[in-house]
């Protein structure tokens, strides 16, 4: 469920060309893998993660951030950081602060990490060192609300230009109750995370929307949907500035429980992972699809970076 927001990677300094790398989370084995965008030169850089789900890369600082869901029924999620080579691993948001953190998004300019907390039913953020954790949206609270999966927050991305957050609430498996929301980054004055007047429902009645990515150049939102075909097991997109926003366009199909999504806007391509262990690449319109890795374990988040 996951993700890199480095869709507009900084150019390499000097004469050295930047090299694209994929960073992929393997949920069942608790590992982070690094590889070339075609799947070659695959190496394991982190092990012993606790059900890793979302991933983001800070190329300037040389850091990888990821979420650990922990045991979904226990409030023991966490967020960690490591160098690009797997060294200097550090817990920045310890257990007990976020329940089941899912997709994570890096806002480098403003020094913030954003993530969704599934069983915690929250949209959250912190500083890059994990300090000043804030709840921006609270869709429910307590064990009774937690049993209502329409309250579960999963995927997240932000629009730093217009100061908006986007997130998914997936609903029960294959139930057709998934939704995608938008709100301002900052809570309106005098309101709270649980009682905000600025929340919009962009899409409703989706099979099971998971991870989000935003093409800030073309102003297009992309997302994976894990639910049943024909609308599920897909990658979808829609322009976000149109009034009204048109129905989503399906650009990839036949995924096996699609989860992770990363955009390389400059390269005009996307990368997708699914729970059956495949890694796909395609153009942003879904053409030239390639399934270049398969049977790689239960894959969740994916990030693309030029380093």
């Amino acid at each position: 469920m996951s993700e890199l927001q480095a869709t507009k990677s900084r150019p390499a300094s000097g004469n050295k060309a930047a090299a694209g790398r994929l960073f992929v989370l393997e949920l069942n084995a608790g590992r982070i893998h690094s590889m070339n965008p075609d799947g070659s030169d695959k190496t394991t850089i982190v092990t012993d993660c606790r059900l890793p789900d979302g991933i983001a890369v800070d190329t300037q600082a040389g850091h990888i951030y990821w979420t650990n869901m922990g045991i979904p029924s226990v409030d023991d999620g966490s967020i960690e950081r490591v160098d690009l080579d797997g060294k200097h691993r550090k817990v920045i948001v310890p257990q007990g602060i976020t329940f089941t953190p899912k997709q994570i998004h890096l806002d480098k300019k403003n020094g913030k990490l954003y993530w969704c907390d599934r069983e915690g039913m929250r949209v959250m953020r912190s500083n890059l060192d994990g300090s000043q954790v804030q709840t921006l949206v609270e869709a429910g609270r307590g064990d009774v609300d937690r049993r209502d999966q329409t309250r579960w927050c999963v995927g997240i991305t932000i629009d730093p230009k217009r100061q908006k957050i986007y997130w998914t609430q997936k609903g029960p498996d294959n139930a057709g109750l998934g939704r995608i929301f938008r709100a301002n980054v900052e809570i309106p004055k005098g309101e709270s995370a649980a009682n905000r007047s600025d929340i919009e429902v962009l899409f409703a009645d989706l099979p099971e929307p998971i991870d989000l990515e935003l093409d800030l150049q073309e102003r297009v939102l992309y997302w994976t949907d894990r639910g049943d075909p024909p609308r599920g097991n897909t990658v979808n997109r829609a322009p976000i500035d149109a009034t009204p926003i048109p129905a989503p366009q399906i650009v990839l199909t036949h995924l096996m429980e699609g989860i992770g999504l990363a955009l390389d806007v400059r390269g005009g391509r996307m990368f997708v992972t699914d729970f059956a262990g495949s890694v796909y690449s395609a153009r942003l319109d879904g053409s030239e699809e390639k399934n270049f890795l398969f049977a790689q374990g239960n894959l969740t988040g994916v990030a693309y970076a030029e380093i």
Side-chain angles (χ1 to χ4, degrees):
M1 301 164 195
S2 158
E3 55 127 352
L4 175 73
Q5 300 76 36
T7 56
K8 297 179 184 177
S9 303
R10 62 186 177 92
S13 59
N15 296 322
K16 185 179 179 181
R21 295 289 289 182
L22 288 178
F23 298 87
V24 176
L25 298 178
E26 185 184 355
L27 179 79
N28 55 308
R31 299 186 291 190
I32 301 177
H33 305 289
S34 172
M35 66 190 73
N36 289 327
D38 62 359
S40 63
D41 190 33
K42 178 185 172 185
T43 59
T44 300
I45 56 174
V46 180
T47 60
D48 299 319
C49 303
R50 300 181 67 251
L51 295 184
D53 186 86
I55 184 168
V57 178
D58 181 347
T59 55
Q60 293 179 339
H63 291 151
I64 301 169
Y65 297 91
W66 77 95
T67 60
N68 294 301
M69 291 190 293
I71 301 171
S73 61
V74 179
D75 188 359
D76 67 344
S78 62
I79 298 176
E80 295 189 64
R81 185 186 75 199
V82 75
D83 292 348
L84 294 174
D85 60 3
K87 297 178 180 178
H88 303 113
R89 182 174 177 175
K90 181 180 181 181
V91 176
I92 60 169
V93 177
Q95 296 180 23
I97 293 176
T98 182
F99 203 117
T100 318
K102 300 289 284 180
Q103 189 178 16
I104 191 168
H105 184 99
L106 169 69
D107 178 8
K108 177 66 173 179
K109 180 179 179 181
N110 296 300
K112 294 290 185 180
L113 293 169
Y114 290 78
W115 68 92
C116 273
D117 181 350
R118 190 178 67 190
E119 273 82 356
M121 301 167 287
R122 295 174 289 189
V123 176
M124 307 181 76
R125 73 176 174 188
S126 73
N127 292 334
L128 298 186
D129 63 358
S131 63
Q132 295 187 6
V133 175
Q134 298 172 277
T135 296
L136 301 177
V137 177
E138 187 176 62
R141 181 182 295 184
D143 291 338
V144 174
D145 284 351
R146 197 165 3 261
R147 289 194 286 271
D148 178 2
Q149 294 184 30
T150 64
R151 300 177 184 269
W152 286 8
C153 303
V154 177
I156 189 166
T157 191
I158 72 164
D159 178 358
K161 178 181 178 181
R162 301 198 177 178
Q163 287 292 289
K164 298 285 186 179
I165 50 175
Y166 293 77
W167 72 98
T168 64
Q169 291 176 210
K170 77 177 193 69
D173 295 352
N174 307 313
L177 297 176
R179 292 171 290 172
I180 298 177
F181 296 84
R182 175 170 65 188
N184 296 319
V185 167
E186 303 299 337
I187 299 173
K189 186 174 293 187
E191 298 181 5
S192 69
N195 182 25
R196 298 182 59 151
S197 61
D198 63 334
I199 294 177
E200 306 172 68
V201 180
L202 296 186
F203 299 103
D205 304 321
L206 301 176
E208 199 179 343
I210 305 295
D211 281 5
L212 293 169
E213 285 291 333
L214 186 56
D215 176 350
L216 294 171
Q217 292 182 11
E218 299 298 326
R219 310 289 301 165
V220 175
L221 184 70
Y222 291 75
W223 67 93
T224 54
D225 197 303
R226 187 178 174 178
D228 284 340
R231 295 174 66 204
N233 275 315
T234 55
V235 175
N236 306 262
R237 69 178 181 179
I240 58 172
D241 293 340
T243 304
I245 296 176
Q249 175 192 10
I250 296 174
V251 294
L252 278 184
T253 60
H254 300 100
L255 304 177
M256 296 297 289
E257 298 190 66
I259 304 290
L261 177 64
L263 302 185
D264 169 19
V265 170
R266 186 163 66 177
R269 58 186 175 171
M270 70 175 80
F271 299 94
V272 183
T273 56
D274 68 22
F275 211 59
S278 290
V279 185
Y280 306 82
S281 66
R283 308 303 296 172
L284 292 178
D285 64 1
S287 64
E288 300 180 27
E289 177 187 350
K290 298 176 183 177
N291 178 193
F292 57 85
L293 284 179
F294 57 92
Q296 300 294 304
N298 298 136
L299 303 184
T300 50
V302 60
Y304 172 81
E306 293 179 357
I307 56 178

